[in-house]
Amino acid sequence: MQTAQLEKTAETKTYVAPPEKKGYEICKRIFDLVMSTVALIVLSPMLLVVALIVWLQDRGSPLYSQIRLTKGGKPFKMYKFRSMCVNADAQLEQLLDLNEIDGPAFKMENDPRVTKFGRFIRKTSIDELPQLFNIIKGDMSIIGPRPPLPREVALYNEYQMHRLDVKTGLACYHECQGRSDEKNFDKWVESDLKYIRERSMLTDIKVILWTIRAVVTGKGAA
């Protein structure tokens, strides 16, 4: 049923790829490397404290890794601070019927798998900071569509696949302009494709500033 709905959406929409921006891509990569390295150095004391608190909760690993997809559907191992209980992935199947977003992605406002400290680091987006290592490695960019799970991409129609035309990112239009408040996956896709059409260094700087505002205000935080 869900797959049929996604295919129907593909029949009614067309996508025109924007021109390549090689100069921008080079500048963006340099920007990513410099900003991520500086951020890791400046934030390292806080990151160590967060890792210690997560470990003290249940003696589980403070870091959580998961296979995600980036540009062209290339898989990579994405890092986060663990905000859920240690067996969270095993419990997901039991919660799929409670998904609060349409389409292939999974969102649940009061997910019972999230720990007390996990809610705090999610609300402040601290849980995402280990992805600075992914950016340095070249798996991700600072700004770009959020990296999806392989099981989600398996349900994408041809139109939605264009989210992966560029390298996925730590922050995006979708999250800085409402973050997890948006429950409509088609609007999420449209937001990502809008970024792909409009991307430039100026756009990326604007998204960074909007993201900082979203984190400070807690708007749409998970």
Side-chain angles (χ1 to χ4, degrees):
M1 181 71 173
Q2 187 181 60
T3 304
Q5 291 175 337
L6 296 178
E7 290 175 350
K8 184 177 180 180
T9 302
E11 293 174 0
T12 59
K13 293 184 178 181
T14 56
Y15 178 78
V16 179
E20 290 188 26
K21 303 179 179 181
K22 293 184 178 179
Y24 160 69
E25 294 294 346
I26 294 172
C27 291
K28 183 182 180 74
R29 180 58 183 152
I30 295 171
F31 181 81
D32 284 345
L33 283 170
V34 172
M35 294 299 293
S36 297
T37 301
V38 171
L40 281 173
I41 294 172
V42 172
L43 298 174
S44 57
M46 182 190 73
L47 299 180
L48 290 173
V49 171
V50 172
L52 178 61
I53 295 174
V54 173
W55 178 77
L56 288 173
Q57 287 184 123
D58 51 21
R59 299 301 192 273
S61 173
L63 285 178
Y64 171 76
S65 64
Q66 190 177 50
I67 298 299
R68 298 288 183 115
L69 301 183
T70 188
K71 182 178 180 179
K74 180 182 178 181
F76 71 99
K77 187 178 290 187
M78 190 186 81
Y79 305 112
K80 299 179 73 170
F81 279 124
R82 183 169 56 84
S83 60
M84 294 185 174
C85 57
V86 291
N87 62 340
D89 286 341
Q91 298 180 29
L92 177 60
E93 198 69 30
Q94 304 167 18
L95 300 172
L96 291 177
D97 290 341
L98 301 175
N99 191 8
E100 296 173 0
I101 183 172
D102 58 4
F106 179 83
K107 292 268 186 189
M108 186 176 178
E109 185 175 354
N110 295 308
D111 194 322
R113 301 172 298 164
V114 181
T115 65
K116 185 175 181 180
F117 185 63
R119 294 193 185 282
F120 168 74
I121 60 176
R122 281 186 166 205
K123 186 175 181 64
T124 55
S125 296
I126 291 172
D127 64 320
E128 308 285 1
L129 291 178
Q131 287 157 46
L132 291 169
F133 289 106
N134 287 120
I135 295 170
I136 291 173
K137 288 172 60 182
D139 300 324
M140 296 173 59
S141 180
I142 293 177
I143 307 300
R146 288 296 291 156
L149 290 161
R151 63 173 176 80
E152 295 172 355
V153 175
L155 295 174
Y156 281 9
N157 58 45
E158 184 178 349
Y159 184 79
Q160 293 162 341
M161 283 296 294
H162 288 292
R163 290 187 71 235
L164 298 177
D165 282 355
V166 299
K167 192 176 292 185
T168 52
L170 178 63
C172 63
Y173 272 0
H174 165 71
E175 293 197 341
C176 71
Q177 298 179 340
R179 305 176 71 200
S180 61
D181 286 342
E182 181 58 68
K183 299 297 192 295
N184 186 300
F185 185 67
D186 283 338
K187 290 182 179 179
W188 186 347
V189 172
E190 291 301 333
S191 179
D192 286 335
L193 298 185
K194 182 175 187 289
Y195 166 74
I196 292 173
R197 291 192 300 271
E198 299 176 351
R199 67 193 191 283
S200 67
M201 289 309 304
L202 179 60
T203 297
D204 288 351
I205 292 171
K206 286 180 180 179
V207 175
I208 290 172
L209 295 176
W210 291 339
T211 301
I212 293 172
R213 181 184 63 187
V215 171
V216 170
T217 61
K219 183 180 179 183

